[in-house]
Amino acid sequence: MSASNDSERPTCRVLYPGSFDPLHLGHLDVIEQACELFGEVIVAVLYNFAKDSGMFSVDRRVELAEAATAHLPHVSVEKHAGLTTQAARAAEVDFIVKGLRTPGDFEIEQQMAQMNHSTSGVRTVFVPSRPDLSFVSSRFVREIAKYGGDIAHLVPLAVAHALAAEFDQHSHDGN
Ligand code: PNS
């Protein structure tokens, strides 16, 4: 922890990891909560070199996350291959932050948090999602956008535009 410039209150730096394919308003809510609670947030777009099968490229996900968090001065976005705990160590954060939407999320997230702590000593703090966003997932956003459904109220504006462009392009390609 370090002292922030504008007050003597200590500020934590935390890592918020995810695939973010794409980032949606539920993610943005967790980022905003983490800023309020901890101070500095590094959004880590995690990817697997061996399996880059996402919809948006990792660099595009980073661009979109940067656009969506441009109003938050203490947020930065990075991409990382490998383990979340390696990204956490490299960024010298105090904690990993994860959002929890449902009891189902808790089951897997608790296991990952315990595994990550056991293998690296890095602790995870859970942030409950805003109830009105707890049903939003990247997977459903992708699926609904693909078939022309309305997801504009569930994602930041830059992501809505990127999804529209992506699927408009594919419809012209005949895909
Ligand atoms: O948004 P997602 O897809 O649910 O995020 C999952 C993510 C990327 C945070 C998770 O899969 C992850 O931590 N991947 C990096 C690999 C890793 O650290 N594995 C060990 C898990 S205990």
Side-chain angles (χ1 to χ4, degrees):
M1 284 191 225
S2 60
S4 65
N5 290 337
D6 48 0
S7 86
E8 287 310 304
R9 282 187 66 188
T11 299
C12 285
R13 181 188 298 148
V14 298
L15 187 92
Y16 178 42
S19 310
F20 304 115
D21 189 29
L23 184 136
H24 54 64
L25 292 187
H27 293 134
L28 192 56
D29 164 52
V30 173
I31 294 167
E32 287 171 346
Q33 290 195 55
C35 282
E36 231 179 89
L37 291 167
F38 303 111
E40 184 183 347
V41 180
I42 298 174
V43 178
V45 179
L46 264 294
Y47 65 100
N48 183 340
F49 281 121
K51 184 184 149 219
D52 194 11
S53 58
M55 182 180 65
F56 289 117
S57 72
V58 172
D59 288 335
R60 187 72 176 122
R61 289 180 222 172
V62 169
E63 273 175 16
L64 292 172
E66 283 175 340
T69 57
H71 62 295
L72 299 167
H74 302 297
V75 174
S76 55
V77 185
E78 299 177 351
K79 62 178 177 178
H80 284 278
L83 299 176
T84 289
T85 51
Q86 293 168 337
R89 284 258 179 261
E92 298 184 335
V93 296
D94 298 292
F95 308 111
I96 294 166
V97 164
K98 290 292 199 76
L100 289 183
R101 293 166 300 189
T102 62
D105 276 355
F106 178 72
E107 279 191 29
I108 179 68
E109 292 297 347
Q110 183 191 39
Q111 191 181 7
M112 282 204 275
Q114 289 167 336
M115 181 63 94
N116 284 336
H117 182 250
S118 154
T119 54
S120 71
V122 180
R123 294 193 185 279
T124 298
V125 177
F126 295 133
V127 173
S129 73
R130 237 172 62 189
D132 57 314
L133 293 171
S134 63
F135 61 92
V136 186
S137 76
S138 296
R139 181 182 145 213
F140 291 146
V141 163
R142 288 195 302 269
E143 197 167 297
I144 291 166
K146 179 174 178 181
Y147 293 104
D150 180 16
I151 42 73
H153 57 303
L154 304 176
V155 295
L157 192 59
V159 173
H161 288 156
L163 285 166
E166 176 78 12
F167 292 117
D168 189 46
Q169 172 68 38
H170 279 221
S171 70
H172 290 307
D173 291 346
N175 293 328

